[in-house]
Amino acid sequence: MHTSSEGGPALFRLVRHWARQWAPDVVERFAAGAPASWTVPNLFVIQAIDGAAGEEVTVADVAHQLGIDRSVASRMVSEAAREGFVERSTSTRDARRAVLTLTDAAKEFLGASRAHQRQAFEALVDHWPEEDRERFAGYLSRLADEVLG
């Protein structure tokens, strides 16, 4: 039986594993027949815009979501915009600010990414009883909501 004190080390073992494995795996899976623009940096920008709170999402919001410097976020957003995933418009509250919105192409990429994530989760726990899978998924969602807001 595992104790809750083992949860921290297990969590960080998984984080290290996926930090090394997740991005290359996603690129490889999407590479077959997917647009060349379906890259991990573009996906991170799309996910950041999708996950940002508020009516007007800015580059600063993307930087905050990704935990990176604003200048790096700006370059990443510019690349995602060049690739057709992000549209910039002028803020209705402050004409100096650019508001970021996702295009249909970004929503398609995000949908494919989420489908991949669901499949990856199911592959990891498909041998567990359904009640355990559902409980674990609920706990993961709760943790993500609490940590990421």
Side-chain angles (χ1 to χ4, degrees):
M1 184 65 142
H2 294 284
T3 65
S4 63
S5 66
E6 295 175 5
L11 173 65
F12 280 83
R13 279 196 342 259
L14 287 170
V15 167
R16 282 191 307 274
H17 170 76
W18 277 309
R20 291 186 311 269
Q21 300 297 323
W22 181 82
D25 181 55
V26 168
V27 170
E28 184 178 306
R29 285 178 188 259
F30 284 146
S37 61
W38 281 25
T39 64
V40 172
N42 283 337
L43 180 58
F44 283 172
V45 168
I46 292 166
Q47 289 173 329
I49 293 170
D50 183 65
E55 294 176 22
E56 294 187 345
V57 179
T58 66
V59 169
D61 295 320
V62 171
H64 176 75
Q65 287 280 320
L66 297 179
I68 58 176
D69 184 76
R70 191 185 180 292
S71 63
V72 175
S74 180
R75 287 191 294 276
M76 290 175 69
V77 166
S78 292
E79 176 62 23
R82 273 192 299 280
E83 297 288 355
F85 296 121
V86 177
E87 291 180 348
R88 294 176 188 252
S89 59
T90 303
S91 169
T92 57
R93 292 186 229 160
D94 183 347
R96 298 170 294 175
R97 291 174 22 152
V99 175
L100 310 173
T101 55
L102 297 178
T103 65
D104 288 341
K107 292 173 187 173
E108 178 185 354
F109 189 6
L110 186 60
S113 171
R114 287 182 176 155
H116 169 74
Q117 291 165 355
R118 285 183 195 98
Q119 290 168 354
F121 179 81
E122 287 301 320
L124 288 170
V125 298
D126 69 348
H127 61 285
W128 292 9
E130 180 154 354
E131 182 180 316
D132 288 350
R133 291 193 312 258
E134 289 179 13
R135 186 179 302 122
F136 186 56
Y139 290 149
L140 282 174
S141 294
R142 177 179 163 188
L143 181 62
D145 290 345
E146 288 176 4
V147 170
L148 304 173

